[in-house]
Amino acid sequence: AQKVTQAQTEISVVEKEDVTLDCVYETRDTTYYLFWYKQPPSGELVFLIRRNSFDEQNEISGRYSWNFQKSTSSFNFTITASQVVDSAVYFCALSEARDYGQNFVFGPGTRLSVLP
Amino acid sequence: GAVVSQHPSRVICKSGTSVKIECRSLDFQATTMFWYRQFPKQSLMLMATSNEGSKATYEQGVEKDKFLINHASLTLSTLTVTSAHPEDSSFYICSAREPLAGKYEQYFGPGTRLTVT
């Protein structure tokens, strides 16, 4: 069965600090996708990134970067020069195929507080 | 990009009544839709998967007679919470799969906050 672990329940940083959110996953499938979502207080999930299991290239998008390491089953997310607007709950998710559709498994989430 | 809407965004109902939540794919046809529940300060948990024109598949521990799901068209799925109780108060989020986007792509709605008094 698939599983996603986010060991950090809550993180507090001061604005402009860099912060890394950890994500470790378990799956028996060779084909799968990994995602990161941001959930601000409004509740709506904001899609950040999708990465497939065959693409281990790291990605940078502005202040955001992701490090995918299949050898350690990790897909970590780093925010550089954090801002107060980054305060939210961040979820890592895994999607693999099932007989009747696609199953998203979410990690428990990491609540990030960026203090001014 | 693909857009999924939910209605209502917030609903308060009395214990014992039923409430219906709609999930619509606005600019694509969704063959499969998913319903998640999120309790305060917790993660999203998949409740059920619905395929257009067939019965929903419920996750273990989810009462199918209490959470009625109907996916009558390619753009609409509904979740009806029957005989609601305060413990059903939660944030309900739907997602829809767009076939053209690939097998693993899902688009999430903005969520519906249900409060049962």
Side-chain angles (χ1 to χ4, degrees), chain A residues 25-56:
Chain A
Y25 63 93
E26 293 178 29
T27 177
R28 291 183 181 176
D29 275 16
T30 55
T31 303
Y32 54 88
Y33 277 80
L34 294 164
F35 301 80
W36 275 95
Y37 288 89
K38 175 182 180 180
Q39 188 178 43
S42 64
E44 184 164 359
L45 286 175
V46 177
F47 168 80
L48 296 178
I49 190 171
R50 177 188 68 180
R51 173 67 71 215
N52 75 55
S53 52
F54 299 109
D55 182 3
E56 284 194 73

Side-chain angles (χ1 to χ4, degrees), chain A residues 3-76:
Chain A
K3 184 180 175 182
V4 176
T5 302
Q6 293 178 255
Q8 304 140 313
T9 305
E10 293 191 33
I11 300 177
S12 284
V13 297
V14 177
E15 208 170 16
K16 297 185 183 176
E17 285 185 4
D18 298 347
V19 59
T20 295
L21 310 182
D22 298 334
C23 173
V24 174
Y25 63 93
E26 293 178 29
T27 177
R28 291 183 181 176
D29 275 16
T30 55
T31 303
Y32 54 88
Y33 277 80
L34 294 164
F35 301 80
W36 275 95
Y37 288 89
K38 175 182 180 180
Q39 188 178 43
S42 64
E44 184 164 359
L45 286 175
V46 177
F47 168 80
L48 296 178
I49 190 171
R50 177 188 68 180
R51 173 67 71 215
N52 75 55
S53 52
F54 299 109
D55 182 3
E56 284 194 73
Q57 203 168 17
N58 292 330
E59 181 153 339
I60 298 175
S61 176
R63 296 184 297 107
Y64 296 167
S65 62
W66 291 269
N67 184 294
F68 179 25
Q69 302 257 349
K70 280 181 82 169
S71 59
T72 56
S73 296
S74 66
F75 186 44
N76 297 337

Side-chain angles (χ1 to χ4, degrees), chain B residues 35-37 45-49 57-59 62 67 79 92:
Chain B
W35 287 95
Y36 296 83
R37 179 168 53 183
M45 298 299 293
L46 180 66
M47 297 175 66
T49 302
T57 303
Y58 291 81
E59 296 298 301
V62 178
F67 298 99
L79 167 67
Y92 293 87

Side-chain angles (χ1 to χ4, degrees), chain B residues 60-104:
Chain B
Q60 199 169 12
V62 178
E63 300 173 58
K64 58 182 68 176
D65 294 330
K66 181 170 185 60
F67 298 99
L68 303 179
I69 292 172
N70 186 295
H71 192 162
S73 78
L74 285 172
T75 60
L76 174 64
S77 176
T78 60
L79 167 67
T80 301
V81 183
T82 62
S83 187
H85 288 112
E87 56 263 33
D88 298 324
S89 298
S90 187
F91 192 55
Y92 293 87
I93 302 175
C94 74
S95 70
R97 185 171 70 91
E98 182 189 23
L100 294 179
K103 256 178 115 168
Y104 302 95

Side-chain angles (χ1 to χ4, degrees), chain B residues 2-6 23-29 33 75:
Chain B
V3 179
V4 175
S5 70
Q6 280 184 243
C23 176
R24 293 182 186 272
S25 55
L26 298 185
D27 49 3
F28 66 98
Q29 292 186 326
M33 288 184 168
T75 60

